[in-house]
Amino acid sequence: MADTTEEKAGTAEEKQADAHDDALVPVGPVVRYGRLAFAGVLILLGLYLVREGLDIGYDRENEPGPGFFPLWVGAVLAVLSAGWLVRELRRPADAPAQNLEARGPLRVLGLVGSMALLTLSFEPLGYNLSVLLFFLVLSMTTARGHTLAKVLVAVGASFGVYLAFDYGLGIILPGSVLPFLEAQGL
């Protein structure tokens, strides 16, 4: 009787190991070239942000200017993407792919959607509300954890960064162009 239980347990463990091995499949050429192309696009986007940051002014009378943030975001994006590109080029063609979870596509759509929302809402809503919406959508679609913690982090990030730039660096981030929001200081 004990033998049958051990056989069943052994079989279940083997099935789980087989399922895990099946989840790691070799990367096909489409996926590989897609990763390489995406890394290249991100490098170009980072370099574009660096150039634009320099064009609009990196500093102003020894203070950070409007190009400070785009320049550094672009530089970090370009360097990290170049590292990713090198890593992808060094990976053997038959190397197994990363084990992706089922929510992966939802997370990517959440990131792209929240970036689109940020872009579209930045001018009418101003920095505070648009970044708050960005962090809320991003955290609700991609992060794990308690909802209240996500909301507190989003509020702290959006208004905290605004206060740090305003009081710490003396850089005024844009407010809303809508009169009722502008009257509230947003």
Side-chain angles (χ1 to χ4, degrees), residues 73-87:
V73 167
V76 169
L77 179 63
V79 167
L80 292 177
S81 299
W84 181 33
L85 180 68
V86 168
R87 189 172 131 209

Side-chain angles (χ1 to χ4, degrees), residues 37-114:
F38 192 60
V41 167
L42 290 178
I43 292 169
L44 292 175
L45 177 63
L47 294 175
Y48 172 77
L49 287 173
V50 168
R51 191 192 71 186
E52 289 298 310
L54 290 171
D55 285 350
I56 62 176
Y58 178 72
D59 64 356
R60 187 178 352 167
E61 298 175 12
N62 295 328
E63 292 180 350
F68 178 84
F69 187 69
L71 183 134
W72 284 106
V73 167
V76 169
L77 179 63
V79 167
L80 292 177
S81 299
W84 181 33
L85 180 68
V86 168
R87 189 172 131 209
E88 286 298 321
L89 288 170
R90 294 174 124 187
R91 180 190 306 251
D94 59 347
Q98 183 180 10
N99 187 8
L100 301 177
E101 55 182 85
R103 289 187 58 200
L106 176 65
R107 290 179 180 201
V108 171
L109 288 176
L111 175 63
V112 172
S114 60

Side-chain angles (χ1 to χ4, degrees), residues 21-29 31 93-97:
D21 290 341
D22 290 342
L24 296 175
V25 295
V27 175
V31 173
D94 59 347

Side-chain angles (χ1 to χ4, degrees), residues 156-179:
S158 62
F159 288 93
V161 168
Y162 181 83
L163 292 173
F165 269 77
D166 190 19
Y167 294 111
L169 297 173
I171 298 172
I172 305 297
L173 295 172
S176 175
V177 296
L178 302 174

Side-chain angles (χ1 to χ4, degrees), residues 114-154:
S114 60
M115 289 171 54
L117 180 66
L118 177 66
T119 303
L120 295 174
S121 67
F122 201 71
E123 188 172 330
L125 298 181
Y127 178 85
N128 284 330
L129 292 179
S130 59
V131 171
L132 176 64
L133 285 173
F134 172 71
F135 280 123
L136 283 174
V137 171
L138 189 65
S139 67
M140 295 300 177
T141 57
T142 62
R144 295 183 181 128
H146 196 273
T147 304
L148 180 60
K150 294 176 187 178
V151 170
L152 291 175
V153 167

